[in-house]
Amino acid sequence: MVRRSAWFWIMAFLHLCHLSLSNSATPPPPVLPVPSASQLHWQRREVIMFFHFGMNTFTDAEWGTGAESPSLFNPTGLNANQWMDAAEAAGASLVILTAKHHDGFCLWPSQYTDHSVAKSPWKGGKGDVVGEFANAARSRGIDVGLYLSPWDRHEKTYGREKEYNEFYMAQLHELLTKYGSISEIWFDGAKGEGATEMNYHFQDWFQMVKQLQSSINIFSNAGPDLRWVGDESGSAGDPCWSTINRSLLRIGDASLLSYLKTGDPQGADWVPAECDVSIRPGWFWHKNETAKSVSQLLEIYYNSVGRNCVLLLNVPPNTTGLVSGDDTQRLKDFRAAITRIFSNDLATGSAATASSEWGGPGGGFAAANVLDSDDQTFWAADGSEQQGAHWIELALPAAKASFNVVRIQEAIALGQRIMEHEVYADGVLVAQGMTVGHKRLHRLTTSVTAARVKIRITKSRGTPLLSAIGLHYDPSVDGPGEFN
């Protein structure tokens, strides 16, 4: 099913590129593996949001014991619409809720446990956080994701393999059938020292998920659709490949962190990385914690979105059931900083030339395609060129332009290709890196004034395909007080 959807997307992509026109050359062949339609849509989100909320919010803990009384859960001012204000402030198009964390307390009235909102004083036991969350998100056009912890410290069947896996799948079935379309389901292998041994039937879980929600993306250490980046700091590796070998991955295996961080250029599976990090030091709300500064969030953005990942930013609601006003304001300032940097592309109006163009002039893969603001078109180099001979150069519209951020994007619908690249300004090397993927952002240490900017692809898997090149100015590079 995954392979079929990937090929369907390739054909749709080629159609949108108008490659069937009689004056267009035969397009470059894909470099496998390629993303499915749902994976490609997810990658273009760039920033999504996590909401850690539950029993830990009221006990001032990160990991609960499972013995907490449901009577502690009483967010009297809970307003999921206000949470979506925060999501919109950050520009997030997908929000994920901790429907159940490790303590086993369920934020929906599950029929399979008494450890849920149904036994709490909140709304007289008639409340449903998951339902309110899903409705609020959809009313804003925001997609919904859910997290269901495999480790359950309250459930008595935990440790009995068959019984617990059946229990878990029953709760999974509830979540995926009661709350409409779910775009992402989040699994992890987190488990504390001394925890009861438990063999999770992940493949059965994944099969049920796809059966109930065919377009969903499944996240875990091992995919199958999205993988953890290997840390909780919001920082990807360089290189960061969307390709990896799933056969080498095991959920919860800490020995694989470096492999998760970089991916694998020889990987047989398309499983792109998601960077999860909290806006505060903890994942749940704690009274004495404050949000990261805008400059810290920008650094995270460059190291996640700017390295071919999606940023999953956690914002925890407080005990009243609201996102802190300070946190929402910080998100607004963060999004304003991103908009200020990237809304003005200094490359607009440039003249683009390249070492070669696939199919020659009029073939549909011209260098100018990187400047047309259309991610469905791209420049492709001639496949006959030797490795390392590919380049594309922009002659800027002004005599000179000052910039300190270089944006490079690949046409990843046909595979991730670039292994090493360099950036030159008027012949001087100003940046270099390995992978590009959906988006690579080079933030220079100082501003550069130049008339020409050249990207050299020094190593690639097949013919390089670039959909966009942009040049931007980040005021924080020259003045650290710009974004506090």
Side-chain angles (χ1 to χ4, degrees), residues 53 58 72-79 121-123 318-322:
F53 183 68
F58 297 87
L72 296 173
F73 185 85
N74 194 20
T76 54
L78 191 149
N79 183 350
W122 178 59
K123 294 192 172 182
N318 59 29
T319 52
T320 63
L322 299 173

Side-chain angles (χ1 to χ4, degrees), residues 164-462:
Y164 181 72
N165 275 280
E166 290 175 346
F167 164 81
Y168 185 91
M169 290 181 71
Q171 291 195 323
L172 192 60
H173 190 275
E174 282 184 319
L175 290 174
L176 296 179
T177 56
K178 289 182 60 176
Y179 299 104
S181 176
I182 305 299
S183 295
E184 182 171 338
I185 187 77
W186 222 85
F187 299 114
D188 68 10
K191 194 185 297 183
E193 279 189 39
T196 303
E197 287 297 319
M198 184 70 221
N199 180 34
Y200 303 133
H201 293 184
F202 282 114
Q203 296 308 314
D204 290 335
W205 302 359
F206 297 165
Q207 184 176 359
M208 171 181 278
V209 168
K210 292 292 186 177
Q211 179 190 83
L212 297 175
Q213 300 268 352
S214 60
S215 62
I216 198 170
N217 282 317
I218 300 174
F219 169 97
S220 79
N221 291 32
D225 301 312
L226 314 172
R227 76 176 194 267
W228 185 41
V229 77
D231 64 52
E232 294 183 345
S233 64
S235 182
D238 183 18
C240 185
W241 290 95
S242 294
T243 54
I244 204 163
N245 278 314
R246 283 192 57 217
S247 60
L248 301 179
L249 302 180
R250 294 174 298 279
I251 298 176
D253 188 341
S255 69
L256 298 170
L257 299 187
S258 61
Y259 187 59
L260 290 168
K261 200 170 185 68
T262 62
D264 188 342
Q266 304 302 319
D269 305 291
W270 187 278
V271 189
E274 185 174 276
C275 293
D276 58 324
V277 63
S278 185
I279 194 172
R280 290 165 170 248
W283 289 93
F284 288 89
W285 182 83
H286 304 289
K287 183 178 181 180
N288 296 325
E289 293 183 351
T290 57
K292 292 176 172 64
S293 67
V294 173
S295 60
Q296 288 175 305
L297 293 174
L298 275 177
E299 181 72 18
I300 289 169
Y301 181 85
Y302 281 110
N303 291 336
S304 55
V305 175
R307 291 184 182 173
N308 187 41
C309 293
V310 166
L311 170 59
L312 174 58
L313 181 61
N314 177 66
V315 180
N318 59 29
T319 52
T320 63
L322 299 173
V323 173
S324 163
D326 290 343
D327 289 1
T328 300
Q329 185 59 51
R330 189 60 47 83
L331 293 169
K332 289 179 180 178
D333 294 342
F334 171 48
R335 176 49 59 180
I338 293 173
T339 301
R340 179 176 177 181
I341 294 166
F342 294 101
S343 61
N344 183 26
D345 184 358
L346 298 168
T348 301
S350 296
T353 56
S355 54
S356 64
E357 293 176 352
W358 184 278
F365 307 100
N369 288 346
V370 302
L371 299 169
D372 64 4
S373 301
D374 183 353
D375 60 8
Q376 306 291 351
T377 65
F378 53 88
W379 163 67
D382 191 324
S384 66
E385 285 184 305
Q386 291 184 346
Q387 185 75 241
H390 308 297
W391 58 264
I392 183 169
E393 184 173 70
L394 307 182
L396 304 186
K400 294 277 187 179
S402 294
F403 60 91
N404 50 36
V405 177
V406 180
R407 172 174 52 87
I408 313 171
Q409 298 185 243
E410 284 188 80
I412 61 170
L414 295 178
Q416 188 177 353
R417 300 162 183 252
I418 296 175
M419 304 178 78
E420 296 176 6
H421 66 283
E422 299 171 341
V423 182
Y424 293 85
D426 286 345
V428 178
L429 180 67
V430 295
Q432 58 187 335
M434 301 182 79
T435 49
V436 172
H438 168 68
K439 182 174 286 186
R440 181 60 187 261
L441 299 175
H442 288 289
R443 182 165 56 166
L444 310 181
T445 56
T446 186
S447 293
V448 171
T449 302
R452 291 180 175 272
V453 174
K454 177 182 283 188
I455 312 294
R456 288 190 64 236
I457 292 86
T458 54
K459 191 175 182 181
S460 66
R461 301 167 64 236

